[in-house]
Amino acid sequence: MKLALMLALAAAPPQPARVCLTDPEAQAMVLVAMPDILRETGRLCAARLPEASPIRRADGALIGRYRATADQAWPAARAAIVKLSDPAADILLQSDYARPLLTSIIVPLIVGRIAVRDCTTIDRLVTNLAPLPPRNIAGIVLTTLQYLKRQKAGGKATDVPDLPLCNEDGR
């Protein structure tokens, strides 16, 4: 779920802490990665889940909805990556190969942290959240990331990356 940071790092070198992603920018980045995260999670968990599981169905309606929303979110996500990196990156990110390249780097980093023993829990979460629009799910992911960032700042969490998410005051 450390998606915002991982996409930014894949695109360019880190910038000063004052550069941060607003909620809409971070949500766009989450939306772009979600179809591939769901698909790869389904692949990882295939042996543990029933065939009817929405994450096992790479060509199913759930992942299709996320794919369509990811396509709409890509321009905003691309702009967010440029914001975190360098304006020159915009030219590179306009290539048809940029998005698949970024997700092919980021998704294994996220899905690789999933323990197979957690597949049934993930399946229950996805199944229960499936009726919600993808943007709502991206909002839940973002809110969770913001919560973890605050926990880390308060010394209550340690295994949380330094996410470039703006605070509620926009800094």
Side-chain angles (χ1 to χ4, degrees), residues 6 14 43 53 71 78 88 91 96 145 147-149 153 157 165 171:
M6 292 180 195
R43 189 176 313 198
S53 168
D71 291 344
R78 186 178 68 225
I91 294 169
D96 290 341
L145 291 172
Y147 171 78
L148 292 171
K149 181 180 177 181
L165 301 173
R171 295 183 285 143

Side-chain angles (χ1 to χ4, degrees), residues 35-36 39 58-60 62-72 99:
D36 293 327
R39 187 190 74 245
D59 60 348
L62 176 71
I63 294 176
R65 271 192 355 215
Y66 278 91
R67 198 171 295 119
T69 305
D71 291 344
Q72 295 168 356
R99 183 171 144 198

Side-chain angles (χ1 to χ4, degrees), residues 62-158:
L62 176 71
I63 294 176
R65 271 192 355 215
Y66 278 91
R67 198 171 295 119
T69 305
D71 291 344
Q72 295 168 356
W74 174 240
R78 186 178 68 225
I81 294 167
V82 169
K83 176 182 176 180
L84 291 172
S85 59
D86 185 297
D90 192 35
I91 294 169
L92 297 172
L93 293 171
Q94 290 181 26
S95 162
D96 290 341
Y97 301 105
R99 183 171 144 198
L101 177 64
L102 287 172
T103 57
S104 72
I105 293 168
I106 300 310
V107 170
L109 296 173
I110 296 167
V111 176
R113 296 182 63 122
I114 296 173
V116 176
R117 69 178 177 274
D118 295 330
C119 287
T120 55
T121 300
I122 292 168
D123 184 54
R124 281 195 313 272
L125 282 169
V126 170
T127 300
N128 286 324
L129 294 171
L132 294 175
R135 291 194 183 279
N136 288 65
I137 302 305
I140 291 169
V141 169
L142 179 57
T143 300
T144 302
L145 291 172
Q146 290 166 331
Y147 171 78
L148 292 171
K149 181 180 177 181
R150 285 192 305 273
Q151 292 297 303
K152 181 178 181 179
K156 297 177 184 174
T158 57

Side-chain angles (χ1 to χ4, degrees), residues 15-84:
Q15 291 293 307
R18 72 186 194 297
V19 176
C20 62
L21 295 176
T22 64
D23 284 4
E25 292 167 335
Q27 261 190 353
M29 293 177 79
V30 169
L31 286 167
V32 165
M34 283 302 292
D36 293 327
I37 291 170
L38 290 170
R39 187 190 74 245
E40 290 304 311
T41 301
R43 189 176 313 198
L44 172 75
C45 295
R48 297 250 179 167
L49 301 177
E51 278 190 44
S53 168
I55 59 174
R56 276 200 60 190
R57 307 179 89 208
D59 60 348
L62 176 71
I63 294 176
R65 271 192 355 215
Y66 278 91
R67 198 171 295 119
T69 305
D71 291 344
Q72 295 168 356
W74 174 240
R78 186 178 68 225
I81 294 167
V82 169
K83 176 182 176 180
L84 291 172

